[in-house]
Amino acid sequence: MTPSPDVLGRPLRLAAIGDLHVGQDDVAPYRDVFEEISESADVLALCGDLTNFGRPDEARVLAEDLRACRIPIIGVLGNHDYECGHCEEITRLLHEAGMKVLNGEAFEIGGVGFAGAKGFVGGFGRNMLGAFGEDAIKAFVQASVEENLKLETSLRMLRNERIVVVLHYSPIAETLTGEPPEIFPFLGCSRMAETIDRFDGVKAVLHGHAHRGLPVGRTPRGAPVYNVARPVQLSHSGRPYAMIEI
Ligand SMILES: [Fe+2]
Ligand SMILES: [Fe+2]
């Protein structure tokens, strides 16, 4: 099932989609999309908010559709997948359906390394929230630091010349353009971009969460960043996922 680099002999074709927001009453919402992707891509990446409210019954609906996917699947959870406090069960259900859920781990497919974590909020550049003042603020910033450490740990595990980073929250502000500027600090954090830019070989950074953002941007060092939130992809390409050559 996993293609080796010798077999490929060409760039890896990566399909990516975030913010699927599967509901428990949906009927095979992504089966046709996953079958189509299986024909045209080597790997499918899912960038969080896989369910609407983080209910196991929603994950079961998605898991059934994932079984229609005939290529390797990797991905991360999003904030919606945490809503009901069942993220471990959701991870198990998706894992059993063939998805490799990254939460600070790394994975290799066809010679390409995949690093991933959900990420967190916190703002960008000089306006990033710092750990100062009340305990509540410090705990909030600590959550952001800890998610970033997971990302760093996963990147450190890889020695590949081609690396893909999978996130839910955005590491840059550029791909949020179109969202209200007031909520940018709740859509991602540049702490993650600083970490990504310390590593060589990052060919693509994927994120979702910003349903009204832009499809493409770059980290300060130049790594391409793709907002693969389903509504963004639909409005820019007419199909619900991005296709990227790595
Ligand atoms: Fe979402
Ligand atoms: Fe989200």
Side-chain angles (χ1 to χ4, degrees):
M1 185 167 173
T2 302
S4 79
D6 327 330
V7 172
L8 277 178
R10 54 165 171 76
L12 183 112
R13 294 174 305 197
L14 174 65
I17 177 171
D19 302 272
L20 291 80
H21 289 277
V22 170
Q24 61 189 9
D25 296 325
D26 292 352
V27 178
Y30 289 96
R31 195 157 304 174
D32 292 348
V33 171
F34 292 158
E35 282 177 358
E36 179 182 309
I37 286 172
S38 299
E39 297 293 323
S40 54
D42 300 306
V43 180
L44 169 63
L46 300 178
C47 292
D49 283 1
L50 310 178
T51 62
N52 242 344
F53 297 106
R55 295 183 181 125
D57 278 350
E58 297 172 327
R60 286 188 184 94
V61 173
L62 176 61
E64 275 310 301
D65 282 5
L66 286 176
R67 291 191 169 90
C69 194
R70 301 186 301 279
I71 56 175
I73 310 158
I74 51 117
V76 297
L77 300 186
N79 55 315
H80 280 246
D81 305 312
Y82 279 73
E83 168 60 15
C84 286
H86 295 298
C87 61
E88 285 179 12
E89 188 175 358
I90 287 173
T91 297
R92 180 183 60 79
L93 288 164
L94 298 178
H95 178 77
E96 286 173 2
M99 174 178 168
K100 176 76 181 169
V101 181
L102 299 175
N103 184 22
E105 297 88 358
F107 200 59
E108 184 180 320
I109 304 169
V112 175
F114 289 83
K118 172 177 61 64
F120 200 57
V121 303
F124 299 92
R126 289 178 58 85
N127 297 316
M128 190 169 68
L129 186 65
F132 182 87
E134 300 93 324
D135 288 346
I137 294 288
K138 288 173 180 162
F140 186 88
V141 172
Q142 185 59 28
S144 182
V145 168
E146 284 172 10
E147 277 297 314
N148 193 56
L149 276 174
K150 288 182 192 173
L151 169 63
E152 181 175 344
T153 301
S154 65
L155 278 163
R156 283 196 190 285
M157 290 177 197
L158 295 169
R159 293 287 178 271
N160 306 79
E161 290 180 5
R162 293 175 293 161
I163 291 171
V164 174
V165 175
V166 186
L167 300 166
H168 180 59
Y169 289 97
S170 179
I172 61 169
E174 191 180 353
T175 46
L176 308 180
T177 307
E179 296 279 3
E182 293 84 355
I183 69 167
F184 276 27
F186 310 122
L187 298 177
C189 185
S190 55
R191 190 173 277 120
M192 297 184 288
E194 290 169 16
T195 296
I196 290 164
D197 277 351
R198 290 208 309 275
F199 290 85
D200 295 326
V202 177
K203 304 300 182 191
V205 182
L206 314 175
H207 76 85
H209 190 56
H211 292 203
R212 288 173 287 184
L214 286 180
V216 186
R218 286 192 182 274
T219 65
R221 191 182 166 194
V225 178
Y226 301 91
N227 178 356
V228 300
R230 181 177 178 272
V232 172
Q233 292 299 319
L234 271 174
S235 66
H236 284 84
S237 72
R239 64 184 177 195
Y241 55 92
M243 277 291 283
I244 303 159
E245 289 205 339
I246 305 297

